[in-house]
Amino acid sequence: SAKLSPEKLLCQLRDRVNVTMIQRSDGPFGTSEWQQYLPGKSLSETVGHLGRCAVVSSAGSLKSSRLGQEIDSHDAVLRFNGAPVRGFQDDVGQKTTIRLVNSQLVTVEEQQFLREPLYNTGILIVWDPAPYHAEIHEWYRKPDYNFFESYKAYRRTHPEQPFYILNPKMQWQLWDILQENSLEHIQPNPPSSGMLGIVLMMTLCDQVDVYEFLPSKRQTDICHYYQKFHDHACTMGAYHPLLFEKNLVKHMNQGTDEDIYTHGKVTLPGFQKVHC
Ligand code: NCC
């Protein structure tokens, strides 16, 4: 159902989605208080140039996949929210280079977030479902979840660990492209952490292998590989426009359908490798 050719779509994503982290120069974050909390180095300075990267969805279909070694063979691995590695290495690997978490987790599950060692590995990035194309001051006054105090508390206890705040304009630039390339009207909710993470890694890496975002032959109603909870909506979407995200990613896949079926694997080029 996508309207643009895969090549044009990649160019649109590269040219219109500005993946940036909140910096000192961003309006309300220019205070001397925020200076102490925001990381001094930019994300690209922190990670450097990355070759092959893996994005690991949290889907139940990762269970018994035995993809761990393949995932760990990448230069960098992105994981989401509370997705664990301990006890699941055979299926999901053990390397965590970046962990993308939503503001709900940082706020509602604050005590776990501040205490669990799971979060102490790699670079953390938090994102918040800001209102559609809201101006940064407006968002700062009224974030979806007020995670700022929890962010500061985490930074005080882990000052050496890089921890960024995703600039929320990115998610709506991405949503606009999702909408333009879908025949149906999409609910105005931001893309899932999974889709945001895929585009984030396309800005940092030469190649991005995404695991179990498009479900393999192991597709299941079990929501997460680390829980017993069943919910069809985890894979197909309810709040997030997941089905549209998955169609878009399928359209840009440079790997084979066989790789999707056996490994749940999609291969996307990094934006630096895209010629427009
Ligand atoms: O479930 P969640 O996502 O943490 O999963 C991370 C990303 O993996 C992809 N996924 C997951 C399960 C599945 N069966 N298929 C998939 O493709 C999706 O791309 C998903 O984004 C989120 O996007 O942040 C989300 O977060 C959870 C929850 O807030 C966190 O896990 C923290 O506890 C949301 N669940 C609830 O609010 C109950 C979920 O809707 C979206």
PDB file of all heavy atoms in Angstrom, residues 26-42:
ATOM      1  N   ASP A  26      18.224  24.017  23.420  1.00  0.00           N
ATOM      2  CA  ASP A  26      16.795  23.819  23.200  1.00  0.00           C
ATOM      3  C   ASP A  26      15.954  24.508  24.273  1.00  0.00           C
ATOM      4  O   ASP A  26      15.633  23.908  25.308  1.00  0.00           O
ATOM      5  CB  ASP A  26      16.464  22.320  23.137  1.00  0.00           C
ATOM      6  CG  ASP A  26      16.956  21.668  21.855  1.00  0.00           C
ATOM      7  OD1 ASP A  26      16.778  22.274  20.782  1.00  0.00           O
ATOM      8  OD2 ASP A  26      17.537  20.572  21.923  1.00  0.00           O
ATOM      9  N   GLY A  27      15.584  25.752  24.003  1.00  0.00           N
ATOM     10  CA  GLY A  27      14.649  26.539  24.823  1.00  0.00           C
ATOM     11  C   GLY A  27      14.722  26.282  26.313  1.00  0.00           C
ATOM     12  O   GLY A  27      15.683  26.689  26.976  1.00  0.00           O
ATOM     13  N   PRO A  28      13.710  25.584  26.848  1.00  0.00           N
ATOM     14  CA  PRO A  28      13.611  25.441  28.302  1.00  0.00           C
ATOM     15  C   PRO A  28      14.772  24.663  28.933  1.00  0.00           C
ATOM     16  O   PRO A  28      14.907  24.656  30.161  1.00  0.00           O
ATOM     17  CB  PRO A  28      12.293  24.671  28.491  1.00  0.00           C
ATOM     18  CG  PRO A  28      11.973  24.078  27.171  1.00  0.00           C
ATOM     19  CD  PRO A  28      12.588  24.950  26.136  1.00  0.00           C
ATOM     20  N   PHE A  29      15.607  24.040  28.130  1.00  0.00           N
ATOM     21  CA  PHE A  29      16.729  23.274  28.679  1.00  0.00           C
ATOM     22  C   PHE A  29      18.002  24.118  28.770  1.00  0.00           C
ATOM     23  O   PHE A  29      19.072  23.602  29.071  1.00  0.00           O
ATOM     24  CB  PHE A  29      16.967  22.020  27.836  1.00  0.00           C
ATOM     25  CG  PHE A  29      15.795  21.071  27.853  1.00  0.00           C
ATOM     26  CD1 PHE A  29      14.775  21.186  26.912  1.00  0.00           C
ATOM     27  CD2 PHE A  29      15.686  20.094  28.841  1.00  0.00           C
ATOM     28  CE1 PHE A  29      13.682  20.326  26.937  1.00  0.00           C
ATOM     29  CE2 PHE A  29      14.598  19.231  28.871  1.00  0.00           C
ATOM     30  CZ  PHE A  29      13.585  19.353  27.919  1.00  0.00           C
ATOM     31  N   GLY A  30      17.870  25.410  28.528  1.00  0.00           N
ATOM     32  CA  GLY A  30      19.026  26.296  28.558  1.00  0.00           C
ATOM     33  C   GLY A  30      19.395  26.805  29.948  1.00  0.00           C
ATOM     34  O   GLY A  30      20.323  27.597  30.089  1.00  0.00           O
ATOM     35  N   THR A  31      18.703  26.358  30.977  1.00  0.00           N
ATOM     36  CA  THR A  31      18.969  26.856  32.326  1.00  0.00           C
ATOM     37  C   THR A  31      20.246  26.244  32.904  1.00  0.00           C
ATOM     38  O   THR A  31      20.700  25.198  32.452  1.00  0.00           O
ATOM     39  CB  THR A  31      17.814  26.472  33.280  1.00  0.00           C
ATOM     40  OG1 THR A  31      17.787  25.037  33.371  1.00  0.00           O
ATOM     41  CG2 THR A  31      16.477  26.990  32.780  1.00  0.00           C
ATOM     42  N   SER A  32      20.785  26.912  33.944  1.00  0.00           N
ATOM     43  CA  SER A  32      22.015  26.385  34.547  1.00  0.00           C
ATOM     44  C   SER A  32      21.726  25.062  35.252  1.00  0.00           C
ATOM     45  O   SER A  32      22.583  24.197  35.340  1.00  0.00           O
ATOM     46  CB  SER A  32      22.633  27.397  35.506  1.00  0.00           C
ATOM     47  OG  SER A  32      21.686  27.743  36.484  1.00  0.00           O
ATOM     48  N   GLU A  33      20.493  24.882  35.721  1.00  0.00           N
ATOM     49  CA  GLU A  33      20.146  23.609  36.345  1.00  0.00           C
ATOM     50  C   GLU A  33      20.245  22.474  35.326  1.00  0.00           C
ATOM     51  O   GLU A  33      20.892  21.457  35.569  1.00  0.00           O
ATOM     52  CB  GLU A  33      18.725  23.659  36.926  1.00  0.00           C
ATOM     53  CG  GLU A  33      18.518  22.594  37.988  1.00  0.00           C
ATOM     54  CD  GLU A  33      17.160  21.936  37.946  1.00  0.00           C
ATOM     55  OE1 GLU A  33      16.252  22.427  37.255  1.00  0.00           O
ATOM     56  OE2 GLU A  33      17.029  20.883  38.587  1.00  0.00           O
ATOM     57  N   TRP A  34      19.652  22.669  34.159  1.00  0.00           N
ATOM     58  CA  TRP A  34      19.677  21.618  33.132  1.00  0.00           C
ATOM     59  C   TRP A  34      21.090  21.354  32.604  1.00  0.00           C
ATOM     60  O   TRP A  34      21.401  20.244  32.191  1.00  0.00           O
ATOM     61  CB  TRP A  34      18.710  21.955  31.985  1.00  0.00           C
ATOM     62  CG  TRP A  34      17.330  21.411  32.240  1.00  0.00           C
ATOM     63  CD1 TRP A  34      16.222  22.127  32.543  1.00  0.00           C
ATOM     64  CD2 TRP A  34      16.934  20.032  32.236  1.00  0.00           C
ATOM     65  NE1 TRP A  34      15.153  21.281  32.734  1.00  0.00           N
ATOM     66  CE2 TRP A  34      15.562  19.994  32.551  1.00  0.00           C
ATOM     67  CE3 TRP A  34      17.597  18.819  32.000  1.00  0.00           C
ATOM     68  CZ2 TRP A  34      14.834  18.803  32.637  1.00  0.00           C
ATOM     69  CZ3 TRP A  34      16.887  17.629  32.080  1.00  0.00           C
ATOM     70  CH2 TRP A  34      15.529  17.633  32.402  1.00  0.00           C
ATOM     71  N   GLN A  35      21.940  22.373  32.638  1.00  0.00           N
ATOM     72  CA  GLN A  35      23.338  22.197  32.200  1.00  0.00           C
ATOM     73  C   GLN A  35      24.008  21.044  32.943  1.00  0.00           C
ATOM     74  O   GLN A  35      24.826  20.337  32.390  1.00  0.00           O
ATOM     75  CB  GLN A  35      24.191  23.450  32.492  1.00  0.00           C
ATOM     76  CG  GLN A  35      23.662  24.728  31.930  1.00  0.00           C
ATOM     77  CD  GLN A  35      23.880  24.824  30.438  1.00  0.00           C
ATOM     78  OE1 GLN A  35      25.004  24.812  29.967  1.00  0.00           O
ATOM     79  NE2 GLN A  35      22.784  24.893  29.707  1.00  0.00           N
ATOM     80  N   GLN A  36      23.661  20.895  34.224  1.00  0.00           N
ATOM     81  CA  GLN A  36      24.292  19.845  35.034  1.00  0.00           C
ATOM     82  C   GLN A  36      23.815  18.464  34.627  1.00  0.00           C
ATOM     83  O   GLN A  36      24.477  17.487  34.900  1.00  0.00           O
ATOM     84  CB  GLN A  36      23.934  19.997  36.516  1.00  0.00           C
ATOM     85  CG  GLN A  36      24.232  21.297  37.163  1.00  0.00           C
ATOM     86  CD  GLN A  36      23.450  21.363  38.480  1.00  0.00           C
ATOM     87  OE1 GLN A  36      22.680  22.272  38.707  1.00  0.00           O
ATOM     88  NE2 GLN A  36      23.643  20.353  39.345  1.00  0.00           N
ATOM     89  N   TYR A  37      22.637  18.410  34.049  1.00  0.00           N
ATOM     90  CA  TYR A  37      22.023  17.107  33.809  1.00  0.00           C
ATOM     91  C   TYR A  37      22.205  16.578  32.382  1.00  0.00           C
ATOM     92  O   TYR A  37      22.423  15.380  32.205  1.00  0.00           O
ATOM     93  CB  TYR A  37      20.526  17.161  34.143  1.00  0.00           C
ATOM     94  CG  TYR A  37      20.281  17.240  35.634  1.00  0.00           C
ATOM     95  CD1 TYR A  37      19.794  18.394  36.232  1.00  0.00           C
ATOM     96  CD2 TYR A  37      20.582  16.143  36.441  1.00  0.00           C
ATOM     97  CE1 TYR A  37      19.580  18.462  37.599  1.00  0.00           C
ATOM     98  CE2 TYR A  37      20.369  16.198  37.809  1.00  0.00           C
ATOM     99  CZ  TYR A  37      19.866  17.364  38.387  1.00  0.00           C
ATOM    100  OH  TYR A  37      19.665  17.420  39.744  1.00  0.00           O
ATOM    101  N   LEU A  38      22.098  17.449  31.389  1.00  0.00           N
ATOM    102  CA  LEU A  38      22.205  16.957  30.014  1.00  0.00           C
ATOM    103  C   LEU A  38      23.638  16.496  29.747  1.00  0.00           C
ATOM    104  O   LEU A  38      24.589  17.114  30.221  1.00  0.00           O
ATOM    105  CB  LEU A  38      21.806  18.059  29.021  1.00  0.00           C
ATOM    106  CG  LEU A  38      20.344  18.492  29.079  1.00  0.00           C
ATOM    107  CD1 LEU A  38      20.104  19.630  28.083  1.00  0.00           C
ATOM    108  CD2 LEU A  38      19.406  17.331  28.793  1.00  0.00           C
ATOM    109  N   PRO A  39      23.829  15.390  29.001  1.00  0.00           N
ATOM    110  CA  PRO A  39      25.187  14.918  28.722  1.00  0.00           C
ATOM    111  C   PRO A  39      25.984  15.987  27.964  1.00  0.00           C
ATOM    112  O   PRO A  39      25.428  16.696  27.127  1.00  0.00           O
ATOM    113  CB  PRO A  39      24.973  13.688  27.841  1.00  0.00           C
ATOM    114  CG  PRO A  39      23.543  13.332  27.938  1.00  0.00           C
ATOM    115  CD  PRO A  39      22.802  14.562  28.357  1.00  0.00           C
ATOM    116  N   GLY A  40      27.262  16.069  28.270  1.00  0.00           N
ATOM    117  CA  GLY A  40      28.116  17.062  27.620  1.00  0.00           C
ATOM    118  C   GLY A  40      28.367  16.721  26.163  1.00  0.00           C
ATOM    119  O   GLY A  40      28.398  17.598  25.301  1.00  0.00           O
ATOM    120  N   LYS A  41      28.529  15.434  25.866  1.00  0.00           N
ATOM    121  CA  LYS A  41      28.833  15.000  24.493  1.00  0.00           C
ATOM    122  C   LYS A  41      27.553  14.700  23.735  1.00  0.00           C
ATOM    123  O   LYS A  41      26.579  14.223  24.306  1.00  0.00           O
ATOM    124  CB  LYS A  41      29.625  13.692  24.551  1.00  0.00           C
ATOM    125  CG  LYS A  41      31.103  13.827  24.754  1.00  0.00           C
ATOM    126  CD  LYS A  41      31.698  12.465  24.383  1.00  0.00           C
ATOM    127  CE  LYS A  41      33.037  12.191  24.992  1.00  0.00           C
ATOM    128  NZ  LYS A  41      33.429  10.791  24.733  1.00  0.00           N
ATOM    129  N   SER A  42      27.595  14.895  22.423  1.00  0.00           N
ATOM    130  CA  SER A  42      26.451  14.513  21.592  1.00  0.00           C
ATOM    131  C   SER A  42      26.400  12.994  21.475  1.00  0.00           C
ATOM    132  O   SER A  42      27.391  12.317  21.736  1.00  0.00           O
ATOM    133  CB  SER A  42      26.583  15.129  20.200  1.00  0.00           C
ATOM    134  OG  SER A  42      27.604  14.464  19.493  1.00  0.00           O
TER     135      SER A  42
END
